[in-house]
Amino acid sequence: MARVAPPGDDSPGSSGSSVLRLLRASLTRVRGLPAAVLRDYRSHHSAPTSTLTHTPHPYARALGLLAVTLLGAWLGLLIVGSIHAPVGPVDTNMTLRPSLTGGTKINVSPLGALELRSHYAPIRLDVDVDRLDPVRSQALVDHPERFAGLQEQVTRDVISGTGTLAFRSCVAVVSGATALGLAVYRRPRRALAAGGLALALLASSGAAAYATWNPKSVLEPKFSGLLSSAPSVVGNARNIVSEFDVYQKELARLVTNVTKLYEATSTLPAYTPDPTTIRVLHVSDIHLNPAAWQIIKSLVKQYKIDVIIDTGDTMDHGSAAENAFLDPVATLGAPYVWVRGNHDSATTQKYLATRKNATVLDDGRAVSVGGLRIAGVGDPQFTPDRSVVEEGDFDERTAGGKLADSLRTQRLAGTPVDIALAHNPVAATEADGLAPLALAGHIHHRENSVLPGGTRLMIEGSTGGGGLRAVQGKKPAPVQASVLYLDRRTRHLQAWDEITLGGLGLSKAEVSRHLPQENRPGASPSPSPRPSGTRSPGTSATPSGTPSPSSP
């Protein structure tokens, strides 16, 4: 009978004793491993962990944090770091910008900029003059005694604006740096450190600007753009300070003129549009007067204009700095057809050709706009100032010959031109007999005549009142424009309204209705223009009878 071994029995014949012996032997071998072998094992398997937990150099971390802070602060200023603030009678937009030299820059679009060495700090104050507020300027006109306190009011407005701007800028830089730090590091502590560093940098920059503030910098401004001619026009800044009474009167007159100009345009009568007519607004010789755009926009809206035609000299010097002046063309509310004047450069023409809503005509090019076929030629001469000598009428007649050739080609192709355009009337007369209507400008006053070949030549006055120089004269030139009414079927002129604003210093607006001779009561229709072969080049135009005005 087999014997069952009791627990703990280690006799050779028992299976339990065999298992126990194997376990004891294994434990003995593990305990006997040398300590050096275990250390080698641990060091071998812990090597990758040491590599992964390597920390960057402290300087690299600091530079990274600084870069994130500066970028985030700049983005914050760019997005939300500006304010709209009234300063006297004008509305401004104030912004702080990073800068190596500091100072203050005042942008007066589209005329240029004025730079002041007001302080030395890594921040610059940018002030954009947006517009002249008609309500506040009218209050100055109605109460001239307020000009005595205008300087104090401007000072208060600037201090209030800069205080609001400082608070807004603090919020902008802290928010921008914190947000960018959180996006880069994904740790709230690092993000808050970036925001705190941004605030400290802005505060130190503000302290540097305050410590280096130079109130006399206004006496030595630096002009750029078209304002570079301001010292010769306005006078030396020191003279303005010493003769402040004279300067104050000039400022009052300027504000009065501009305000009354806006008043006059707002009271022009409106007409009920006639669906059987095409309405064309003829403007010319704006000469860089920004108020002209408001006048044109007002007329387009009140008269329901189909096409705007500008016969040139929109600029004054034709420089690239003036190009931004043309940007409102896209917002006038009607197609804008333009030919180059002698104050408009090739740079002007190229820039305007890229603007929305604008059609540039040159070398006799013909287009269909607003239901009319229109062809035009640019002025062959570029005379932005008296240093350039004019070549005379020969070049103008040559340019007019190109226009005439194009008109003949269009007629032979079965697409006759309704209106021919040129800046100089000498060039426009070459279209006689080839189009029923020719438009021009250049001479800054109206003339209306029927040429020997039957073409009516209409010369417009200055829609800019002679340009920005008009605010200096005692008797500024009137602002003039015309609305032409053409039959939608025959494209012939039915009537026209002459609109005259009595200069920048006057508040009356005159509108007179005129009829062609053939449209007057009891008159018989006149024949179409004769072929141009009946008139030799250079023949002077014979003016027709002066049209009689009727009630608007």
Side-chain angles (χ1 to χ4, degrees):
M1 186 174 180
R3 182 175 63 88
V4 177
D9 187 4
D10 56 353
S11 61
S14 66
S15 60
S17 62
S18 298
V19 174
L20 290 174
R21 282 195 298 272
L22 290 173
L23 289 173
R24 291 190 187 102
S26 299
L27 291 172
T28 302
R29 283 196 296 272
V30 171
R31 292 191 188 100
L33 285 174
V37 175
L38 293 176
R39 283 197 302 270
D40 291 343
Y41 177 82
R42 294 192 188 100
S43 64
H44 174 72
H45 288 278
S46 61
T49 304
S50 174
T51 302
L52 292 175
T53 58
H54 175 72
T55 58
H57 196 278
Y59 290 134
R61 294 177 61 185
L63 289 176
L65 181 62
L66 180 62
V68 169
T69 300
L70 293 177
L71 180 59
W74 179 78
L75 291 175
L77 285 176
L78 190 64
I79 298 173
V80 296
S82 63
I83 64 166
H84 295 281
V87 177
V90 299
D91 290 333
T92 66
N93 188 66
M94 297 184 179
T95 311
L96 287 181
R97 291 282 184 260
S99 172
L100 296 177
T101 58
T104 300
K105 185 176 182 181
I106 303 173
N107 299 302
V108 187
S109 179
L111 305 181
L114 178 68
E115 297 183 19
L116 306 176
R117 293 291 183 183
S118 57
H119 62 276
Y120 295 92
I123 54 173
R124 184 185 72 199
L125 174 63
D126 284 358
V127 180
D128 295 329
V129 178
D130 292 336
R131 70 185 185 100
L132 176 70
D133 185 88
V135 176
R136 296 198 299 273
S137 59
Q138 181 63 42
L140 290 175
V141 173
D142 295 338
H143 304 280
E145 68 277 4
R146 296 184 183 180
F147 277 98
L150 183 61
Q151 184 177 4
E152 289 76 8
Q153 178 188 352
V154 170
T155 302
R156 291 194 301 269
D157 291 342
V158 171
I159 293 175
S160 175
T162 52
T164 304
L165 177 63
F167 176 77
R168 182 77 170 265
S169 299
C170 289
V171 175
V173 298
V174 171
S175 301
T178 302
L180 186 60
L182 190 61
V184 172
Y185 295 113
R186 301 180 184 276
R187 296 180 182 178
R189 182 176 297 179
R190 285 287 185 89
L192 293 176
L197 180 59
L199 182 60
L201 291 175
L202 182 62
S204 59
S205 299
Y210 180 80
T212 59
W213 183 256
N214 178 22
K216 296 182 179 180
S217 60
V218 70
L219 299 178
E220 298 178 354
K222 178 182 177 182
F223 298 95
S224 61
L226 296 180
L227 289 179
S228 58
S229 61
S232 61
V233 175
V234 179
N236 185 278
R238 296 184 184 276
N239 294 338
I240 293 176
V241 174
S242 62
E243 301 176 8
F244 187 77
D245 291 339
V246 177
Y247 176 69
Q248 179 175 286
K249 293 178 181 178
E250 291 298 309
L251 178 62
R253 182 170 61 87
L254 173 60
V255 173
T256 303
N257 289 344
V258 174
T259 302
K260 290 189 175 182
L261 173 64
Y262 279 93
E263 282 184 352
T265 58
S266 64
T267 57
L268 286 175
Y271 293 90
T272 303
D274 184 352
T276 65
T277 61
I278 299 175
R279 292 166 299 281
V280 177
L281 175 62
H282 182 200
V283 300
S284 189
D285 296 86
I286 293 175
H287 283 290
L288 213 68
N289 187 346
W293 299 127
Q294 297 298 328
I295 296 172
I296 294 173
K297 187 178 295 186
S298 175
L299 293 174
V300 168
K301 182 178 180 180
Q302 294 181 55
Y303 283 81
K304 307 298 182 184
I305 296 298
D306 297 298
V307 182
I308 304 168
I309 293 179
D310 186 343
T311 47
D313 271 5
T314 312
M315 299 304 208
D316 218 11
H317 297 87
S319 64
E322 297 172 305
N323 284 344
F325 176 75
L326 299 169
D327 290 344
V329 166
T331 65
L332 296 179
Y336 182 86
V337 181
W338 180 88
V339 291
R340 185 181 66 250
N342 61 296
H343 283 262
D344 305 317
S345 65
T347 301
T348 302
Q349 179 166 309
K350 183 178 180 180
Y351 183 84
L352 183 59
T354 64
R355 299 298 90 188
K356 181 182 177 182
N357 214 39
T359 300
V360 174
L361 299 182
D362 197 6
D363 297 325
R365 179 190 173 205
V367 295
S368 295
V369 181
L372 296 170
R373 191 73 175 162
I374 307 172
V377 63
D379 199 300
Q381 304 185 72
F382 179 51
T383 55
D385 51 53
R386 294 181 180 179
S387 64
V388 181
V389 180
E390 295 185 6
E391 297 295 332
D393 291 348
F394 177 78
D395 285 353
E396 300 295 340
R397 290 195 178 95
T398 301
K402 292 182 180 180
L403 177 60
D405 291 340
S406 174
L407 296 177
R408 294 188 187 95
T409 302
Q410 293 293 322
R411 176 178 290 180
L412 292 174
T415 56
V417 169
D418 303 311
I419 303 177
L421 309 180
H423 175 66
N424 195 306
V426 175
T429 57
E430 299 298 318
D432 187 19
L434 298 172
L437 183 61
L439 305 181
H442 184 62
I443 60 177
H444 289 204
H445 65 269
R446 287 195 186 101
E447 288 188 9
N448 194 317
S449 62
V450 176
L451 302 177
T455 296
R456 179 177 291 275
L457 174 61
M458 303 184 74
I459 305 172
E460 189 55 77
S462 174
T463 310
L468 291 177
R469 299 182 184 91
V471 299
Q472 302 170 16
K474 294 182 179 179
K475 295 182 179 180
V479 174
Q480 297 180 327
S482 297
V483 177
L484 316 180
Y485 301 91
L486 286 81
D487 185 89
R488 191 171 293 273
R489 183 180 61 86
T490 64
R491 311 294 195 271
H492 286 173
L493 182 67
Q494 302 297 302
W496 69 91
D497 293 336
E498 293 182 352
I499 300 167
T500 302
L501 307 181
L504 297 181
L506 302 177
S507 59
K508 66 177 181 179
E510 299 177 348
V511 181
S512 58
R513 172 67 53 84
H514 301 262
L515 300 176
Q517 185 71 34
E518 61 271 18
N519 285 358
R520 296 179 185 178
S524 59
S526 63
S528 300
R530 299 191 303 271
S532 61
T534 61
R535 182 178 64 87
S536 60
T539 303
S540 60
T542 302
S544 65
T546 303
S548 61
S550 62
S551 299

